[in-house]
Amino acid sequence: MSDVLENPKIEVPHAIDLTRKAGLGTGPVPVEPYVSPEFYERERKLVFGRAWLNLGRIEQLPKANSYFVKPVEACNAQVLVTRNADGEIKAFHNVCSHRGAAVALEECGVRNRFTCRYHGWTYRNDGELIGVTDPDMFFDLDKKQLGLTPIACDVWEGWIFVNFQKRPEVSLIEFLGDLGEVFRGIPYMNTHQALIIEANFNANWKLIADAFAEGYHVSSLHPNTLAPSFSSDKNKFARPVGGRAWGAHRSVSTFGNMDYVTPENSKVERLANMNNGAIVLAGDTGEQAQKLLAHRAINQAKSAHWSADLTWLFPNFNIDFSPGGFWTHEFWPTAYNKTRWIARIYMPTATSWRDRLAQEHYAARWGEVVLEDVSNCERIQIGLESGAKDHIILQDGEFMIRHSLETINKWVNAKTVKEALS
Amino acid sequence: MSEKLLPAGFEALEPFVAYWAQPTNDKRWDQRARAPMAEITAFYDAMYDRAEDAIAWLDENYPLGQEMPEDARNLSCLLLGLGQAAIAVEMHRQPRSPYSVFPHGIYMKSGPWPLG
């Protein structure tokens, strides 16, 4: 990227002026979106109620008639996502037409029909009501009108999105914009296996999303877990090596310490042949990994000091790439000050017990990182709710946070989605 | 099959089986997080000394994914427990990350295969 300049004080090239280049302001930003129940109500209705929301990947529906159920508390919904025998993916409210009970009671599985446990009404996985028990007792029952309530659903590059508008104002492709085009054709590796970490905690959903938007905090908050891999004497505060806005979305390329050497006392890392600290996901360096590195969307500056691309799709979803593969974050608000965060880190299948030990160590490190961020976010929530500060301050490397806040602000004030996206 | 806790040659690790030989990633994390540092270190030292032997024995007798009798399963869980203990001993020098909340609402819903 042409924005990457040599800074005389720092030996590592880094990107500058990301904030202005993304068309953002540079002043303090208000605390209100993090602490206000009223603001959250507007987010629920005008952001989560109108944006395309990622619910997972197609591999979560591995065969004909696979399904999963996903809660989206911000929209008061339980979404039933189904795949029929022809491979079509559809989404419905998990709500029986008779009296509102849930028709799917398990988190996932394989079924071509769902029978409500309350009175036994049965639906096909395309939503159609195909069976009513004791139908003669009803009055003017029209089964054709009584299918499951559909939710708009579309798939991009294997990612399943839904939209809670009855008739979405914009298509998924319009919503993704340039990002949807430039990120086409990325090889998604190891999609069969993900380390899944779920965290439920007391903080606004944007606080945890913000934590995954910048490397500035790494040396301070993650001194043992991440700092040795993602900062160095040459770039102590992990200035990014690239980044930009993509319409409502945004991405940043983070710095990696290429001089990392596994410390002498990290005997288990050495025993497990982990030579890359936290950077290379479980050591996947095969052909697919090379293809990923060569893709035009990845490490756009093609920096030699690149460790990861953090790609934040508006409003609450990250697809992040590193030399070894990819991972995702879903940041789901469950109240203005409560969040469910789901991290899925896709990993290759271990081929030996030594490999498996390396993966255990890798997973354990992730667990600690999640714990460090969750602990910190809960303390921030308390701090911000104290009312001590009306504003927070953001530096250039934190431009994605500013972009997120400005975009949310646009959405909660825009009459239409087209206007919000303009 | 045998009713031994661990395969022949690994008897010295038997005192650690009850606490450390846990079947899931989440459980192994939780056990490490709750243990006093002296106990983590004792397990780490003992298991590290036998880790190469354990890897060799498991790869030889029960390559990944094979059904294992209890003694082999215990050994494999202990080996993976070493990955957890290392975080405390080598990374934090205490059971959990400094200043982290505990207990917490975080769990490993699905760990790597097998014994995730």
Side-chain angles (χ1 to χ4, degrees), chain B residues 5-7 10 13 17 21 47 50 53-55 57-58 70-80:
Chain B
L5 281 178
L6 289 169
F10 294 96
L13 297 173
V17 168
M47 190 62 227
R50 302 306 312 281
D53 297 333
I55 290 169
W57 190 90
L58 286 165
E70 193 184 339
D71 59 346
R73 196 177 158 88
N74 284 340
L75 183 63
S76 66
C77 293
L78 284 185
L79 175 68
L80 299 183

Side-chain angles (χ1 to χ4, degrees), chain B residues 3-71:
Chain B
E3 289 171 20
K4 290 180 305 174
L5 281 178
L6 289 169
F10 294 96
E11 290 84 356
L13 297 173
E14 281 180 0
F16 300 105
V17 168
Y19 190 86
W20 292 97
Q22 300 296 336
T24 65
N25 196 305
D26 189 59
K27 193 72 186 138
R28 288 187 292 272
W29 181 23
D30 196 54
Q31 291 292 83
R32 182 256 296 171
R34 290 174 189 278
M37 197 58 193
E39 285 179 24
I40 299 173
T41 308
F43 166 65
Y44 170 90
D45 288 341
M47 190 62 227
Y48 181 79
D49 281 348
R50 302 306 312 281
E52 282 291 358
D53 297 333
I55 290 169
W57 190 90
L58 286 165
D59 277 340
E60 167 82 26
N61 294 287
Y62 296 99
L64 287 177
Q66 273 198 17
E67 198 64 37
M68 286 184 280
E70 193 184 339
D71 59 346

Side-chain angles (χ1 to χ4, degrees), chain A residues 107 193 196 360 372 379, chain B residues 28 97 99 107 109 113-114:
Chain A
E107 198 178 342
Q193 175 173 258
I196 305 172
E360 185 81 5
E372 287 168 349
R379 289 190 286 260
Chain B
R28 288 187 292 272
S97 180
Y99 306 106
Y107 75 110
K109 196 169 178 182
W113 172 90

Side-chain angles (χ1 to χ4, degrees), chain A residues 107 193 195-196 198-200 224 265-268 271 352-354 356 359-360 363 368 372 375 379, chain B residues 28-29 32 52 59 62 80 90-93 97 99-101 105-110 112-114:
Chain A
E107 198 178 342
Q193 175 173 258
L195 163 66
I196 305 172
E198 185 168 321
N200 291 282
N224 305 319
N265 73 333
S266 294
K267 294 195 303 187
V268 173
L271 173 77
S352 69
W353 281 100
R354 193 182 303 275
R356 179 62 188 84
Q359 292 191 345
E360 185 81 5
E368 295 301 294
E372 287 168 349
S375 301
R379 289 190 286 260
Chain B
R28 288 187 292 272
W29 181 23
R32 182 256 296 171
E52 282 291 358
D59 277 340
Y62 296 99
L80 299 183
E90 300 175 0
M91 211 175 265
H92 298 317
R93 295 179 180 81
S97 180
Y99 306 106
S100 58
V101 294
I106 306 167
Y107 75 110
M108 298 270 172
K109 196 169 178 182
S110 175
W113 172 90

Side-chain angles (χ1 to χ4, degrees), chain A residues 32-53:
Chain A
E32 188 200 1
Y34 297 96
V35 298
S36 159
E38 295 75 28
F39 192 90
Y40 176 57
E41 286 308 310
R42 293 168 72 200
E43 280 181 341
R44 289 181 58 191
K45 188 169 161 218
L46 300 167
V47 174
F48 288 89
R50 300 196 294 182
W52 284 89
L53 305 173

